[in-house]
């Protein structure tokens, strides 16, 4: 648990980020739509991340997770307590360490530095790291929607001249960019992490925000004059540093089995959503003590996300030319956020649709319906 002094430091940092961050103005139909100055290039100095002591790579799997992400957070909290996974890793001479991050780009920063071996994020950060770093992408995590929440506004066109909060370099960034472009609407986008969007909306420092659960529910519950005016779908992925994956193929299978097992455990009993939501909320508060959402809302939104997520397999349609990922790739390329030399086929080579499918068809071998999680009273099937 982070000490109180550190929590205050984090809260002050995030508030400062929301206030002083460089903004950009979206102006449709120009070759260069915006200018942008990164707020903090070296995340090694981040008030929370700087406290992390990443172990040397030998014998350790360093995992980046995102607690502000219903359903996926439930899955990850279960995996980190999975005794079966821990046992299988120990037999391979490995152990897992989990590090919490505010978003996918932050996870990728440390993966590039060789300090994270396994990460998870939406499709935009996944595409970006896949364009810059050799990774293996064997599984999807969830499929859901981002929500554009606005104050006293009922259409995208009414956001003309307004200020919109969104975390840069992420799926919501891509979604709001497309929404504004498709309606020829000009608005100011302010880089802002999810936890501070709630505070900024409450204090009326921004007029709208591109959000996801549990941020959307927290906003709507606390502000009667807010409404959802636009939705955009997403898909997210789990990925590994290729160097780690190549050296530990059996370890990859152990993690993918644990992923499927955690999903099966959540589906086995509604109480498991309550248990895992409590774990996730505790992890959220360690990152941002100002975060406020009821357990009931976190649980209900996680269960709703489960209905849309589907199996953790990567569908062929998601990788097709002209699809969501293809559009996201060209968004990044046009915005010069990935090397100009990278081609779509190079990114596609990072995906492996077969690994999860091979595990799902053999549930007994991979113990997919055998559950043994710390803090749940022991194992059962």
């Amino acid at each position: 648990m982070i000490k109180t002094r550190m929590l205050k430091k984090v809260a002050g940092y995030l508030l400062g980020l929301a206030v002083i961050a460089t903004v950009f103005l979206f102006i449709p139909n120009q070759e260069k739509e915006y200018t942008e100055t990164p707020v903090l290039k070296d995340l090694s100095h981040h008030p929370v991340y700087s406290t992390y002591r990443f172990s040397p790579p030998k014998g350790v799997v360093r995992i980046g997770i995102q607690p502000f992400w219903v359903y996926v957070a439930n899955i990850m909290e279960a995996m980190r307590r999975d005794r079966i996974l821990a046992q299988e890793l120990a037999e391979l001479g490995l152990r897992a360490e989990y590090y919490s991050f505010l978003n996918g780009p932050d996870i990728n920063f440390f993966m590039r530095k060789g300090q994270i071996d396994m990460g998870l994020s939406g499709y935009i950060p996944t595409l970006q790291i896949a364009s810059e770093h050799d990774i293996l992408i064997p599984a999807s995590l969830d499929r859901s929607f981002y929500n554009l929440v606005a104050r006293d506004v009922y259409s995208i066109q009414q956001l003309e001249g307004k200020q919109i909060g969104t975390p840069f370099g992420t799926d919501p960034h891509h979604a709001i960019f497309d929404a504004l472009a498709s309606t020829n609407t000009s608005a100011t986008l302010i880089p802002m992490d999810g936890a501070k969007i709630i505070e900024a909306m409450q204090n009326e420092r921004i007029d709208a925000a591109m959000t996801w659960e549990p941020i959307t529910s927290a906003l709507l519950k606390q502000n009667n004059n807010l409404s959802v005016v636009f939705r955009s779908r997403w898909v997210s992925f789990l990925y590994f540093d290729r160097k780690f994956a190549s050296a530990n193929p059996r370890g990859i299978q152990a993690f993918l089995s644990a992923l499927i097992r955690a999903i099966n455990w959540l589906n086995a009993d509604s109480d498991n959503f309550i248990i895992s939501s409590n774990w996730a909320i505790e992890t959220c508060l360690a990152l941002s003590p100002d975060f406020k959402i009821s357990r009931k809302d976190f649980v209900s939104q996680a269960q709703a996300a489960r209905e849309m997520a589907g199996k953790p397999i990567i569908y062929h349609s998601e990788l097709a030319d002209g699809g969501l990922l293809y559009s996201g790739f060209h968004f990044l390329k046009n915005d010069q956020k990935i090397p100009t030399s990278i081609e779509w086929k190079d990114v596609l080579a990072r995906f492996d649709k077969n690994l999860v499918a091979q595990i799902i068809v053999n549930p007994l071998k991979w113990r997919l319906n055998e559950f043994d999680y710390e803090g749940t009273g022991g194992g059962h099937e």
Side-chain angles (χ1 to χ4, degrees):
M1 180 64 66
I2 302 173
K3 294 181 179 179
T4 301
R5 184 171 61 182
M6 179 60 67
L7 292 177
K8 290 180 179 178
K9 184 179 179 183
V10 173
Y13 165 81
L14 292 175
L15 178 59
L17 178 66
V19 174
I20 69 172
T22 301
V23 302
F24 70 77
L25 177 64
F26 176 89
I27 308 173
N29 303 323
Q30 291 192 10
E31 182 177 353
K32 181 63 177 174
E33 278 91 4
Y34 61 81
T35 59
E36 171 188 338
T37 302
V39 176
L40 184 62
K41 287 185 177 181
D42 188 357
L43 293 175
S44 300
H45 303 301
H46 186 280
V48 173
Y49 305 158
S50 62
T51 68
Y52 293 168
R53 298 295 176 259
F54 298 100
S55 296
K58 186 175 181 179
V60 179
V61 189
R62 300 156 301 178
I63 302 166
I65 63 173
Q66 296 187 55
F68 290 98
W69 189 352
V70 297
Y71 186 59
V72 171
N74 297 73
I75 293 171
M76 290 299 126
E77 293 294 339
M79 287 179 64
R80 75 193 300 178
R81 293 167 174 82
D82 187 342
R83 292 191 181 101
I84 296 174
L85 172 61
Q87 176 188 357
E88 292 178 344
L89 291 178
E91 292 172 355
L92 298 170
L94 298 171
R95 61 182 174 84
E97 292 181 350
Y98 294 82
Y99 300 90
S100 298
F101 294 91
L102 291 166
N103 54 56
D106 290 4
I107 291 175
N108 292 343
F109 173 86
F110 290 96
M111 180 170 280
R112 292 186 192 96
K113 288 172 63 70
Q115 294 175 312
I116 289 292
D117 305 299
M118 170 182 146
L120 51 105
S121 65
Y123 66 95
I124 290 293
T126 299
L127 291 170
Q128 188 160 18
I129 189 68
S131 300
E132 302 169 348
H133 192 77
D134 194 6
I135 63 172
L136 168 69
I137 312 170
S140 66
L141 288 171
D142 76 342
R143 298 166 179 86
S144 189
F145 290 91
Y146 292 110
N147 303 292
L148 179 58
V149 178
R151 178 185 300 104
D152 300 323
V153 166
Y154 306 99
S155 70
I156 295 175
Q157 291 87 341
Q158 289 178 320
L159 289 170
E160 181 75 30
K162 303 290 186 180
Q163 297 191 68
I164 306 172
T166 187
F168 280 14
T170 63
D171 302 3
H173 184 185
H174 178 217
I176 188 60
F177 187 97
D178 274 359
L180 294 171
S182 66
T183 56
N184 200 31
T185 302
S186 298
T188 302
L189 301 190
I190 301 178
M192 187 176 295
D193 284 315
K196 303 313 295 182
I197 283 175
I198 298 175
E199 180 185 352
M201 288 292 283
Q202 287 177 333
N203 296 333
E204 299 189 3
R205 296 204 313 274
I206 57 176
D207 305 293
M210 203 68 185
T211 67
W212 58 98
E213 295 295 354
I215 307 300
T216 303
S217 292
L219 279 174
L220 295 178
K221 188 170 185 178
Q222 296 173 24
N223 300 271
N224 293 329
N225 61 337
L226 299 180
S227 60
V228 175
V229 299
F230 173 76
R231 303 182 81 196
S232 177
R233 67 188 180 96
W234 88 45
V235 60
S236 59
F237 299 95
L238 179 146
Y239 46 88
F240 297 87
D241 180 272
R242 180 76 69 172
K243 184 177 180 181
F244 168 81
S246 298
N248 299 278
R250 182 63 186 83
I252 300 299
Q253 292 173 322
F255 277 109
L256 295 180
S257 299
L259 168 66
I260 300 165
R261 184 162 50 246
I263 294 171
N264 290 347
W265 175 71
L266 288 170
N267 291 334
D269 191 327
S270 59
D271 285 349
N272 294 337
F273 273 96
I274 298 174
I275 294 169
S276 57
S277 293
N278 286 335
W279 294 334
I281 290 171
E282 182 179 347
T283 305
C284 287
L285 291 173
L287 266 183
S288 180
D290 297 329
F291 177 67
K292 294 180 177 65
I293 188 172
S294 71
R295 181 180 70 176
K296 180 180 178 181
D297 287 341
F298 200 105
V299 170
S300 64
Q301 291 303 325
Q303 291 174 323
R306 178 265 310 270
E307 298 300 326
M308 292 183 283
K311 295 180 180 180
I313 61 176
I314 300 170
Y315 297 114
H316 176 75
S317 58
E318 292 169 338
L319 304 180
D321 289 358
L324 182 64
L325 271 66
Y326 183 85
S327 171
F329 171 78
H330 286 285
F331 164 75
L332 289 169
K333 196 164 187 178
N334 292 338
D335 197 31
Q336 300 178 1
K337 290 296 189 295
I338 59 177
T340 56
S341 60
I342 196 77
E343 299 293 338
W344 176 234
K345 62 180 178 61
D346 301 321
V347 172
L348 288 179
R350 313 292 197 202
F351 290 85
D352 189 325
K353 302 190 297 292
N354 297 320
L355 291 175
V356 167
Q358 292 168 354
I359 291 173
I360 287 177
V361 298
N362 202 335
L364 291 178
K365 176 181 178 180
W366 300 110
R367 305 171 71 180
L368 302 185
N369 296 302
E370 184 178 342
F371 312 133
D372 187 5
Y373 295 100
E374 296 176 13
T376 61
H380 66 278
E381 292 189 32

